[in-house]
Amino acid sequence: MRYRFRTAMAVAASAALLTSVAACSSDDDDSATPAASAGTAISADRCAKNKAAGEITYLSGYQWQASASILEYAAADKLGYFKSLCLDVKMQPGTGDTSQNTKLLASGKVTFSPVSQQDVLSANANGIKVQGISSYSNVGLEILMTEPAITDLKQLNGTTLGQKGAMPVGVQAMLIKAGADYKSIKQVVVGYDPTVLTRGQVKSLTGFISNEPNQLKAAGKDVTVWRPYDYQVPGSLGAMAVNPDFAAKNPTAVEDVLRAGLHAFEYCETNAAECVKAASDLTGAGYDEKSNTGIWQTEDKVIRDSVKAGTPLGTIDTANVSALADMLNTYTGTKITSTDAQAEFSSEYVKNIYNGDKLIWPAP
């Protein structure tokens, strides 16, 4: 599924096709850009439906950090993929407050936003109606770090754990599954400097697999990363949610927003620097392109290592959804039935934009 540059003959063929469908092409497209050569072709009927959807607001998870479900959408906008599918997409940076994102989605103030599958379940359990429409991986981003001397999580009994204000439920589940005495572990709130671990101020530290471990490695600090996934704890990475009312009224637009994002994902896998630059342009001064490239490459590897062969990227694993509901019920006190959990996600949008495991581009 990785992006491949076309031969000169293929580009010529694409140009001929684009000419024949100019009625639904963007007049501003540059034929030399990947967006244009990838196809501004879309049927007149589908183009009209996408235009009728009106302005679509994409709200990122956290600013324009180069995480999966953020970077490729920033790139899709910069490369003209949305425009080539007759979509009017407004890009808006998020603050990192997931609960705020779900509330804005439910209210219709934003249309699409990266929201983990567990957060979709939690939101709906609290009467905040959002719909999950895709997810890249069952391997969650949240991890626990320790010094290399810790070789068994039971060694953390009676020690101090640093977290950012809330204990990730997946990390809690991992510790309990590993046999640690969870109640004996003292939790303290720490800031965003991961060296509190390597300086010995805490014995363990929560974080994100594509963030703190990379920072510590760059500083020459060796730590052990503990992933809940390795302890059969469910999670999600790169999940996307939509306003349910918008989705019901504009199914082709939902499909094509996902189509543009997934097409850009393929492109960014082999053109990371260009995609990170697109995110940097949206951010402005102070954007750390080197660090963000590391974030993207780490998450991309996690995703590709975990996606089953022949499975379209973005496919919702219904068994994982049920497992997440069970985990939330166990550790947070929710009472989500498997039936209710499944109803909060739709796999049809992703299914409709693939032929087997090959993304259909351009749109029909």
Side-chain angles (χ1 to χ4, degrees):
M1 290 180 57
R2 294 181 181 275
Y3 185 92
R4 293 182 173 84
F5 289 104
R6 289 164 171 76
T7 61
M9 184 177 295
V11 171
S14 293
L17 176 62
L18 298 182
T19 300
S20 69
V21 292
C24 264
S25 299
S26 167
D27 294 336
D28 298 327
D29 284 337
D30 179 351
S31 61
T33 67
S37 63
T40 50
I42 181 173
S43 69
D45 178 64
R46 194 175 186 96
C47 180
K49 288 178 180 177
N50 286 353
K51 286 185 175 180
E55 184 177 85
I56 295 166
T57 301
Y58 166 89
L59 176 67
S60 76
Y62 176 65
Q63 302 298 328
W64 298 112
Q65 179 173 282
S67 286
S69 73
I70 298 177
L71 182 68
E72 71 270 30
Y73 283 85
D77 181 60
K78 183 67 176 288
L79 293 168
Y81 290 172
F82 294 130
K83 185 181 292 186
S84 71
L85 295 176
C86 301
L87 295 165
D88 179 12
V89 178
K90 175 185 176 183
M91 307 297 288
Q92 182 174 325
T95 64
D97 183 345
T98 301
S99 63
Q100 182 69 7
N101 283 32
T102 55
K103 290 173 184 175
L104 290 170
L105 271 176
S107 69
K109 292 181 180 178
V110 301
T111 323
F112 291 83
S113 185
V115 177
S116 72
Q117 292 185 311
Q118 49 269 49
D119 285 326
V120 168
L121 291 167
S122 295
N124 279 281
N126 287 294
I128 301 168
K129 300 303 180 183
V130 297
Q131 183 178 43
I133 53 174
S134 71
S135 185
Y136 293 152
S137 174
N138 295 344
V139 182
L141 285 174
E142 294 167 330
I143 48 95
L144 186 69
M145 294 165 287
T146 67
E147 292 275 24
I150 299 296
T151 57
D152 188 314
L153 290 174
K154 292 191 287 292
Q155 291 174 255
L156 297 178
N157 291 352
T159 65
T160 301
L161 177 150
Q163 43 101 324
K164 310 298 192 299
M167 182 65 175
V169 65
V171 173
Q172 177 184 355
M174 174 180 66
L175 285 165
I176 292 172
K177 279 179 172 279
D181 182 0
Y182 182 72
K183 292 182 179 179
S184 77
I185 299 173
K186 179 184 178 181
Q187 296 181 35
V188 296
V189 176
V190 298
Y192 292 90
D193 178 3
T195 64
V196 296
L197 174 64
T198 54
R199 293 199 308 269
Q201 293 177 268
V202 295
K203 203 69 174 178
S204 59
L205 178 68
T206 63
F208 298 93
I209 196 168
S210 56
N211 193 5
E212 290 90 347
N214 287 347
Q215 292 179 36
L216 291 169
K217 183 178 180 180
K221 306 294 184 181
D222 187 23
V223 297
T224 298
V225 173
W226 304 83
R227 301 193 312 177
Y229 180 78
D230 296 327
Y231 287 79
Q232 291 74 55
V233 175
S236 68
L237 192 166
M240 187 64 65
V242 68
N243 173 271
D245 291 338
F246 177 89
K249 296 173 184 175
N250 304 283
T252 64
V254 174
E255 290 174 9
D256 289 345
V257 168
L258 287 173
R259 190 192 311 272
L262 287 161
H263 189 49
F265 188 100
E266 297 172 2
Y267 183 81
C268 293
E269 288 189 294
T270 50
N271 298 274
E274 182 181 347
C275 292
V276 169
K277 181 63 167 60
S280 178
D281 289 345
L282 283 171
T283 302
Y287 191 84
D288 188 338
E289 294 188 19
K290 181 178 179 181
S291 174
N292 276 280
T293 298
I295 289 172
W296 168 253
Q297 291 174 336
T298 299
E299 294 188 18
D300 179 41
K301 186 176 188 307
V302 170
I303 290 165
R304 288 305 182 184
D305 286 349
S306 62
V307 173
K308 295 178 182 178
T311 301
L313 184 63
T315 298
I316 292 172
D317 182 345
T318 55
N320 187 62
V321 168
S322 292
L324 284 167
D326 288 342
M327 180 181 72
L328 291 173
N329 291 343
T330 299
Y331 297 104
T332 70
T334 56
K335 297 180 180 180
I336 308 168
T337 68
S338 181
T339 299
D340 287 344
Q342 300 295 337
E344 292 161 12
F345 296 84
S346 175
S347 58
E348 290 303 306
Y349 301 111
V350 168
K351 181 180 178 181
N352 290 343
I353 61 176
Y354 277 92
N355 180 9
D357 64 350
K358 304 298 181 185
L359 181 69
I360 299 170
W361 183 272

